[in-house]
């Protein structure tokens, strides 16, 4: 893993997701641009000291020197946008597979170059858009692919957040706001690049259609901010359908509820992350249906991406309570240290949902 060390946001999520099916094992990493932080993070994660590196350049050089059965096979890059291209390039050139979240790179020029490198490599680059991994998103995609709704006519997709309603980037403790609103690290787009890309991806992924035309109104609402924090877009799809996309990070009070509605000739469907295990189907000629994750009536695609639900937070508190009763202190970062089998994280990051694979 490159990135995701102490104080990072998404690295722990990737590590938990990677453990779910027992297909991945964390064996090495460079967890920070600060060598000391990287070492401290790796040791905290239980890695062998000699496989915790001070830079990603060192990681690739030393891992490649190891016997094939010992060296890493795939690298997960969980860094800010401006540190995607170079480690991905080095990994592919040295024969390692790459998994990383969108965006692929900091700029279009880097993305085009990385595509060329991938095409010349025997390794695979997997670009993840996490929301496509939900079971009911898979089910929605299958229903449309099977023409259950008829020809698609309208698509509405939205992603309201409120965490940047204030000028959070001036807070030195808010690292996420710091780099996500900085064009030197995030790129030319703010909210539209950060979460607008998820709505765009979800619209195309579920519908199976491609956007051909856009008409966008992009705004910077919070005074002093250097990148956009709000946007609305009219969409036209390759089958003639139209749509509306909006993504904002200044909707005060909102959390993280990405939502999509798709309408065809025979009916429509609706899915939202706040009720991720539910897919609502609305028919023109009969009562609406509610489909639920885990149902025997679902497609094989939805079933394949379904985990057995448990209650990790409850287990965490039970573990802490038992330690306290025995006179021991509560573990630090206990939510991250819960054993993998107790974690219910639907397979969002690491299996068949990886839709951006280039090979």
């Amino acid at each position: 893993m490159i990135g995701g060390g102490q104080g990072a946001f998404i690295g722990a999520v990737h590590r938990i997701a990677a453990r779910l099916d027992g297909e991945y094992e964390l064996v090495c990493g460079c967890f920070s641009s600060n060598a000391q932080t990287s070492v401290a993070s790796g040791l905290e994660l239980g890695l062998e000291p000699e496989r915790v590196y001070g830079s990603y350049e060192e990681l690739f050089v030393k891992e490649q020197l190891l016997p094939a059965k010992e060296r890493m096979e795939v690298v997960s890059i969980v860094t800010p946008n401006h540190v995607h291209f170079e480690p991905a390039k080095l990994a592919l050139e040295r024969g390692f597979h790459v998994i990383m979240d969108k965006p692929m790179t900091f700029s279009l020029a880097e993305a085009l170059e990385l595509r060329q490198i991938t095409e010349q490599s025997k390794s695979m680059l997997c670009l993840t858009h996490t929301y496509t991994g939900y079971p009911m998103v898979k089910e929605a995609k299958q229903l449309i692919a099977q023409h259950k709704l008829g020809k698609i006519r309208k698509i509405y997709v939205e992603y309201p957040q409120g965490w940047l309603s204030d000028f959070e980037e001036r807070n030195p403790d808010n690292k996420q706001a710091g780099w996500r609103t900085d064009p030197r690290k995030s790129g030319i787009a703010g909210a539209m690049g950060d979460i607008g890309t998820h709505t765009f991806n979800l619209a195309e992924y579920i519908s199976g259609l491609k956007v051909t035309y856009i008409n966008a109104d992009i705004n910077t609402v919070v005074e002093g901010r250097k990148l956009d924090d709000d946007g609305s877009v009219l969409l036209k799809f390759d089958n003639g359908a139209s749509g509306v996309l909006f993504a904002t990070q200044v909707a005060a009070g909102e959390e993280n509820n990405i939502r999509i509605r798709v309408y065809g000739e025979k009916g429509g469907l609706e899915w939202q992350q706040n009720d991720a295990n539910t897919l609502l189907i609305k028919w023109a000629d009969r009562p609406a249906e509610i489909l639920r994750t885990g149902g025997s009536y679902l497609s094989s695609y939805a079933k394949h991406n379904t985990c057995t639900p448990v209650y990790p937070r409850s287990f965490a508190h039970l573990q802490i309570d038992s330690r306290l009763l025995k006179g021991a202190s509560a573990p630090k970062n206990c939510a991250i240290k819960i054993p993998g089998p107790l974690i219910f994280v639907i397979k969002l990051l690491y299996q068949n949902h990886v839709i951006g694979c280039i090979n």
Side-chain angles (χ1 to χ4, degrees), residues 155-161 191-192 195-200 217-219 229-235 243-251 254 257-259 261:
I155 299 174
Y156 298 92
V157 60
E158 63 186 62
Y159 200 157
Q161 292 181 343
M192 295 307 289
I195 61 175
T197 47
H198 280 303
T199 55
F200 186 94
D217 176 27
I218 309 299
N219 305 298
D229 51 22
D230 172 79
S232 301
V233 188
L234 298 177
L235 307 172
V244 180
L245 177 159
F246 93 78
T248 182
Q249 293 176 318
V250 295
E254 291 288 349
N257 189 32
I258 188 170
R259 178 188 181 210
R261 291 170 289 161

Side-chain angles (χ1 to χ4, degrees), residues 116-164:
Q116 184 177 11
I117 293 169
T118 305
E119 290 171 347
Q120 297 171 351
S121 171
K122 294 182 180 179
S123 299
M124 181 178 290
L125 169 64
C126 297
L127 184 69
T128 60
H129 290 76
T130 185
Y131 302 106
T132 61
Y134 278 111
M136 302 317 288
V137 168
K138 299 292 189 186
E139 187 69 13
K141 180 177 177 64
Q142 284 304 114
L143 288 172
I144 292 175
Q146 295 167 0
H147 307 290
K148 299 291 187 180
L149 302 184
K151 181 181 178 181
I152 301 304
R153 292 172 169 172
K154 297 289 294 186
I155 299 174
Y156 298 92
V157 60
E158 63 186 62
Y159 200 157
Q161 292 181 343
W163 73 290
L164 289 178

Side-chain angles (χ1 to χ4, degrees), residues 161-166 168 174-178 180-181 194-195 225 248-256:
Q161 292 181 343
W163 73 290
L164 289 178
S165 294
D166 295 322
E168 289 294 329
N174 195 332
K175 294 175 62 176
Q176 292 298 312
R180 290 179 190 273
T181 60
D194 191 13
I195 61 175
R225 182 158 291 153
T248 182
Q249 293 176 318
V250 295
E254 291 288 349
E255 294 179 350
N256 210 48

Side-chain angles (χ1 to χ4, degrees), residues 202-213:
L202 201 62
E204 289 197 333
Y205 181 76
I206 288 180
S207 71
L209 303 174
K210 296 295 182 183
V211 174
T212 53
Y213 297 98

Side-chain angles (χ1 to χ4, degrees), residues 291-351:
L291 307 184
R292 293 283 292 170
T293 296
S296 60
Y297 45 79
L298 298 178
S299 69
S300 61
Y301 297 90
K303 291 177 180 178
H304 181 76
N305 284 269
T306 300
C307 295
T308 302
V310 293
Y311 308 95
R313 189 170 297 276
S314 298
F315 279 112
H317 285 297
L318 286 172
Q319 290 183 9
I320 294 171
D321 289 345
S322 66
R323 287 174 63 94
L324 293 176
L325 286 171
K326 294 177 182 178
S329 60
K332 295 181 180 179
N333 300 323
C334 59
I336 295 174
K337 295 184 178 181
I338 302 170
L342 301 183
I343 300 292
F344 176 46
V345 180
I346 300 173
K347 303 174 185 178
L348 298 184
L349 291 172
Y350 277 78
Q351 205 156 16

Side-chain angles (χ1 to χ4, degrees), residues 7 36 39 50 76 79 183 189 196 211 235 244 262 278 282 294 335 343 350:
Q36 290 182 331
V39 171
E50 61 270 18
S76 176
T79 57
V211 174
L235 307 172
V244 180
V262 182
T278 296
K282 303 175 183 178
I343 300 292
Y350 277 78

